[in-house]
């Protein structure tokens, strides 16, 4: 049997206060089985000591090109890496990278790396918005480096605005995606407006009970995150989603609860959008009446629920769509005596009238509440693409490929 080699990741850490969060990024990468070599800049060591990085990574930490000369570390680290993540990436680090400098081990590593590079900026808002940084980010992106958008929120001291390091979970999600597929995050949706629905609707029975479903919203979040990173202006219309999910930085979030609220938000937000993706799990039925007080237990046995059908939002959006708008649906299917998953998927695509349909096989613990997904992408033009098993971000990247291709 071939020896299993864990992916080699270089974690670069530049000198900003967010360097302390690099420890959490490092922990997530090592816990998921990566072999991580931390390469801080000299200034990063003013915030976190080398001993911390060495203990967490189990590997030596060096900063300069004149250490480990016989190992030729300034060349080997980059050559052997399967992914370089720089978190935090300061304005200075990005400026040096844009210029192709090699004055420390991290920048030298960047020059020899031929693998994907993920830079995660963190700095004060003024520095992020400065024309010099804007130009450096554009240049790095044009060379294929993935530069994440910083999150907005509280920075050091009393300042707020864009410039915060995105959460370690988001960074780890993109790191995994780039290891699964190095070209998963091209800048091919710039200037496109995208609306994605996510999560499961909840239909109230009374003030404390509802009819819901097991959708976590993970796939919808991954779709929104990947589209935003590929340059789109994204609105995420969410129903109920798992509490550990973080709204992606730079995505506008609209909160809804019931199918009726989701419908209203989707109809409103879809006007003028280039792409609409219905990834939400919408309840097909709702209680005919929402009782204003809690339904009490009585001796006469359980109450009888009377249900009515919810509108099919996807069908309505297809009916209202503007010229050139692309609409994508999702279908969770199981096979039965009438046909397999794909057969049912094709029939659903025809019934809904959308341009693309992602078909997932469900049951046996597949898809729902899971980090991973797989399936097929069916096109109204007869196209059929298998979506290989992998992260939900990987499935999202395949869908956005098909969308970008169709948008031309
Ligand atoms: O018919 P089914 O629920 O399997 O279809 C799934 C697709 O239709 C998903 O894209 C879902 O978001 C959408 N849908 C909808 N309105 C409903 C039910 C489903 O838009 N009432």
């Amino acid at each position: 049997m071939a020896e299993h080699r864990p992916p080699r990741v270089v974690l670069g850490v530049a000198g900003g206060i967010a360097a302390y969060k690099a420890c959490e990024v490092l922990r997530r990468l090592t816990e998921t089985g990566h072999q991580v070599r931390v390469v801080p800049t000299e200034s990063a060591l003013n915030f976190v000591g080398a001993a911390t990085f060495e203990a967490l990574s189990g590997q030596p930490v060096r900063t300069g090109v004149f250490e480990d000369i016989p190992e030729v570390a300034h060349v080997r680290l980059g050559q052997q890496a399967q992914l370089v993540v720089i978190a935090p990436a300061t304005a200075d680090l990005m400026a040096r990278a844009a210029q192709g400098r090699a004055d420390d081990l991290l920048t030298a590593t960047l020059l020899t790396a031929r693998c994907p590079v993920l830079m995660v900026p963190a700095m004060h808002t003024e520095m992020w918005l400065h024309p010099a940084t804007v130009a450096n980010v554009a240049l790095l992106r044009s060379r294929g480096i993935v530069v994440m958008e910083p999150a907005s929120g509280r920075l050091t001291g009393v300042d707020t605005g864009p410039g915060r390091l995105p959460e370690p979970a988001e960074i780890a999600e993109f790191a995994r995606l780039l290891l699964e597929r190095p070209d998963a995050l091209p800048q091919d949706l710039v200037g496109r407006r995208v609306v994605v629905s996510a999560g499961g609707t909840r239909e109230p029975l009374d003030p404390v009970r509802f009819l819901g479903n097991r959708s976590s919203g993970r796939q919808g979040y991954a779709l929104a995150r990947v589209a935003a990173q590929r340059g789109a202006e994204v609105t995420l219309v969410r129903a109920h989603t798992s509490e550990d999910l973080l709204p992606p930085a730079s995505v506008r979030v609209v909160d809804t609860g019931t199918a009726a609220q989701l419908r209203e938000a989707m109809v409103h937000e879809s006007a003028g959008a280039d792409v609409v993706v219905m990834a939400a799990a919408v309840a097909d039925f709702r209680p005919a009446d929402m009782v204003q007080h809690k339904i009490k237990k009585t001796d006469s046995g359980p109450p009888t629920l009377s249900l009515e059908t919810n509108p099919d939002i996807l069908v309505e959006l297809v009916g209202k769509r503007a010229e050139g708008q692309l609409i994508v649906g999702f279908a969770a299917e199981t096979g039965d005596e009438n046909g397999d998953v794909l057969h049912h998927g094709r029939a659903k695509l025809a019934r809904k009238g959308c341009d693309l349909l992602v078909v997932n096989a469900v049951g046996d613990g597949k898809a729902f509440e899971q980090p991973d997904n797989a399936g097929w992408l069916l096109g109204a033009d007869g196209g059929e693409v298998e979506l290989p098993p992998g992260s939900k971000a990987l499935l999202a990247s395949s869908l956005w490929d098909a969308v970008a291709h169709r948008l031309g």
Side-chain angles (χ1 to χ4, degrees):
M1 219 173 78
E3 189 196 345
H4 172 71
R5 292 244 177 89
R8 283 173 187 260
V9 178
V10 169
L11 175 60
V13 183
I17 178 62
Y20 79 93
K21 293 190 189 166
C23 300
E24 174 65 13
V25 175
L26 172 57
R27 201 182 55 79
R28 282 177 182 270
L29 291 171
T30 52
E31 277 178 3
T32 41
H34 303 93
Q35 193 186 320
V36 187
R37 178 77 189 247
V38 183
V39 183
T41 61
E42 266 303 314
S43 10
L45 296 181
N46 289 318
F47 296 95
V48 181
T52 303
F53 291 134
E54 289 191 337
L56 289 173
S57 67
Q59 302 229 30
V61 165
R62 303 276 183 269
T63 60
V65 289
F66 293 107
E67 296 162 281
D68 284 338
I69 297 286
E71 303 281 316
V72 209
H74 70 291
V75 175
R76 292 270 183 277
L77 283 178
Q79 283 176 336
Q80 294 174 348
Q82 281 153 282
L83 174 69
V84 178
V85 180
I86 304 189
T90 55
D92 178 67
L93 186 279
M94 289 194 294
R96 290 193 293 132
Q99 284 196 352
R101 305 276 301 254
D103 42 9
D104 61 8
L105 188 56
L106 181 52
T107 45
T109 299
L110 280 173
L111 282 186
T112 52
R114 293 295 176 270
C115 60
V117 175
L118 175 63
M119 290 195 182
V120 195
M123 65 196 72
H124 269 78
T125 306
E126 290 83 352
M127 291 187 176
W128 174 247
L129 298 177
H130 192 283
T133 309
V134 171
N136 287 332
V137 169
L139 184 58
L140 292 168
R141 283 182 175 156
S142 73
R143 291 181 190 147
I145 289 181
V146 180
V147 182
M148 283 177 81
E149 284 296 312
S152 287
R154 236 191 97 207
L155 304 165
T156 327
V158 292
D159 299 349
T160 60
R164 262 172 77 100
L165 192 83
E167 291 301 324
E170 285 182 80
I171 300 169
E173 187 177 346
F174 275 167
R176 177 174 176 202
L177 174 61
L178 291 171
L179 283 167
E180 290 178 303
R181 201 190 136 188
D183 63 345
L185 296 169
Q187 291 278 296
D188 57 357
L189 295 174
V190 176
R192 300 296 186 182
R193 263 201 62 203
V194 165
V195 182
V196 178
S197 70
T201 61
R202 289 182 164 185
E203 309 297 324
L205 276 164
D206 69 13
V208 295
R209 303 181 179 95
F210 57 82
L211 293 179
N213 61 65
R214 292 175 55 188
S215 171
S216 64
R218 255 172 235 293
Q219 185 60 68
Y221 271 61
L223 285 157
R225 201 186 306 288
V226 171
Q229 189 59 45
R230 286 168 76 146
E233 187 192 318
V234 183
T235 302
L236 177 68
V237 176
R238 67 177 176 192
H240 181 264
T241 57
S242 172
E243 268 152 31
D244 63 337
L245 290 181
L246 307 155
S250 76
V251 163
R252 194 167 72 87
V253 177
V254 176
D255 281 310
T256 69
T258 63
Q261 289 164 352
L262 186 81
R263 178 196 154 271
E264 201 184 317
M266 286 306 289
V267 169
H268 180 74
E269 297 297 336
S270 298
D274 297 295
V275 190
V276 179
V277 183
M278 274 299 296
V282 185
D284 291 320
F285 310 104
R286 61 167 176 252
D289 309 292
M290 141 92 176
V291 181
Q292 296 304 322
H293 52 80
K294 186 178 169 195
I295 301 167
K296 305 282 185 298
K297 246 187 273 183
T298 62
D299 293 339
S300 51
T304 304
L305 294 181
S306 161
L307 300 176
E308 57 189 28
T309 304
N310 270 328
D312 192 310
I313 305 168
L314 181 54
V315 169
E316 184 177 342
L317 293 174
V318 167
K320 289 193 160 99
R321 98 170 106 191
E323 176 80 26
Q325 186 179 63
L326 272 179
I327 303 192
V328 184
F330 269 71
E333 295 289 346
T334 57
D336 61 18
E337 63 283 2
N338 295 319
D340 62 7
V341 170
L342 267 181
H343 168 87
H344 290 296
R346 279 249 155 256
K348 186 162 289 181
L349 177 65
R351 219 165 43 239
K352 302 267 184 180
C354 47
D355 302 287
L356 290 162
L357 188 77
V358 177
V359 183
N360 302 125
V362 290
D364 306 329
K366 286 190 200 129
F368 280 119
E369 297 166 327
Q370 299 296 316
D372 288 14
N373 211 347
W376 296 268
L377 181 61
L378 306 182
D381 54 9
E384 183 178 314
V385 177
E386 189 166 353
L387 303 168
S391 67
K392 289 186 173 175
L394 181 68
L395 186 141
S397 74
S398 303
L399 175 61
W400 292 123
D401 286 348
V403 165
H405 179 74
R406 280 169 170 77
L407 290 172

